[in-house]
Amino acid sequence: MKNVEQVCDEVVKWLRSKVEQANKKGLIFGLSGGVDSSVVAALSKRAFPENTLGLIMPCHSNKEDEKYAHLIAEKLNINVKTVDLSSVYDEFISKMDSKTDNNLAQANVKPRLRMITLYYFAQLNNYLVAGSGNKSEATVGYFTKYGDGGVDIAPIGSFVKREVREMARFLEVPEVIIAKPPTAGLWENQTDEKEMGFSYDILDDYILYGKAPENFKNRIDEMNKKSEHKRKNPEVFTLDNK
């Protein structure tokens, strides 16, 4: 990234423009304690110093993540609200007729409950929902459809993970947040890189420069192809495409 300060300034201007166009008052976002949500929080606070709200939404989550979320909130002086979704999740799962060993199907309920919660408070406050997805995640479909992918605007969606970390350092996000292993917090000891099967450095190099070891290149291409539906609006049947 050539000029991180200029990039951050442009994102802040864009955020103000999008909120104004939507006739809204400010921005709401989830605070997970990770670097992506921290950067979105910092940019949102710059754009709307008095009209930002961060939601901390534990759902059988690691207590460390909540601690980091409070750390960035205090650092940036962001208004936060904690909504514990654990009991809501338990009640939902208990109502499902089918028992399953599909961990991912159950785990994806968590980000979808968070999406519902964000939109509830967004409507109460007349805010837009700002997502924390980045380009690296989007490329391989590493997000939950209608979960963390269910947002109004994506301020860091065109930046790969290493660029987000660069922005984080400029925005003075605590280094402990920047350096910790990225995780979606879907289950205990889960990390992004372990689940994807390769590092963000490998993924970012492939996205930016088209370079990667052949085995990883093939896996990234396959993940990109399989997740194409997640990056598109729903397909609509028309008589023209029958």
Side-chain angles (χ1 to χ4, degrees):
M1 189 175 293
K2 291 183 179 180
N3 189 328
V4 66
E5 181 177 5
Q6 182 179 350
V7 168
C8 288
D9 286 345
E10 289 298 322
V11 176
V12 168
K13 291 176 185 176
W14 181 83
L15 286 169
R16 290 175 183 152
S17 172
K18 291 302 174 184
V19 169
E20 182 180 358
Q21 288 172 21
N23 197 29
K24 302 295 183 181
K25 293 181 179 178
L27 294 165
I28 187 170
F29 41 83
L31 267 183
S32 68
V35 64
D36 298 312
S37 71
S38 296
V39 167
V40 170
L43 293 168
S44 299
K45 178 69 174 181
R46 288 186 172 211
F48 296 94
E50 305 301 324
N51 289 295
T52 59
L53 176 60
L55 290 191
I56 300 172
M57 297 171 284
C59 188
H60 295 300
S61 305
N62 189 322
K63 290 293 183 183
E64 286 289 294
D65 294 337
E66 193 172 343
K67 181 185 78 173
Y68 290 126
H70 282 290
L71 174 64
I72 189 64
E74 291 169 10
K75 169 77 174 178
L76 299 173
N77 191 28
I78 287 175
N79 184 27
V80 297
K81 184 175 181 62
T82 300
V83 181
D84 193 326
L85 296 169
S86 301
S87 62
V88 180
Y89 172 85
D90 291 342
E91 180 69 11
F92 177 87
I93 294 298
S94 74
K95 297 298 183 184
M96 297 299 102
D97 292 335
S98 58
K99 302 299 180 182
T100 178
D101 293 326
N102 189 326
N103 289 336
L104 195 56
Q106 293 192 351
N108 277 332
V109 173
K110 297 178 180 181
R112 289 176 176 135
L113 288 175
R114 293 182 178 121
M115 183 272 289
I116 293 169
T117 308
L118 282 164
Y119 273 97
Y120 175 79
F121 284 100
Q123 192 162 6
L124 288 181
N125 291 278
N126 197 27
Y127 286 175
L128 284 183
V129 177
S132 59
N134 60 58
K135 187 174 183 177
S136 303
E137 295 166 341
T139 297
V140 292
Y142 192 72
F143 61 92
T144 300
K145 194 171 185 178
Y146 303 120
D148 51 323
V151 299
D152 292 317
I153 52 176
I156 60 172
S158 66
F159 304 108
V160 297
K161 192 75 171 186
R162 72 176 54 149
E163 293 172 325
V164 175
R165 290 193 178 109
E166 190 176 346
M167 294 167 75
R169 292 190 172 93
F170 169 75
L171 294 165
E172 299 183 347
V173 172
E175 187 63 32
V176 65
I177 292 177
I178 299 172
K180 74 186 186 78
T183 174
L186 297 179
W187 52 78
E188 191 70 24
N189 298 318
Q190 183 261 352
T191 68
D192 294 3
E193 295 181 332
K194 187 188 298 184
E195 192 176 354
M196 291 190 300
F198 44 80
S199 70
Y200 273 112
D201 279 339
I202 288 173
L203 178 55
D204 290 355
D205 279 342
Y206 187 44
I207 293 170
L208 294 173
Y209 312 116
K211 297 178 181 178
E214 200 64 28
N215 58 325
F216 292 122
K217 182 178 179 180
N218 292 338
R219 177 163 170 76
I220 292 168
D221 286 342
E222 182 181 3
M223 291 176 71
N224 176 266
K225 184 177 180 180
K226 286 183 176 180
S227 62
E228 181 64 25
H229 69 98
K230 299 172 76 173
R231 293 181 294 273
K232 289 183 174 181
N233 289 326
E235 297 283 352
V236 177
F237 172 81
T238 68
L239 292 174
D240 294 334
N241 64 16
K242 62 180 179 179

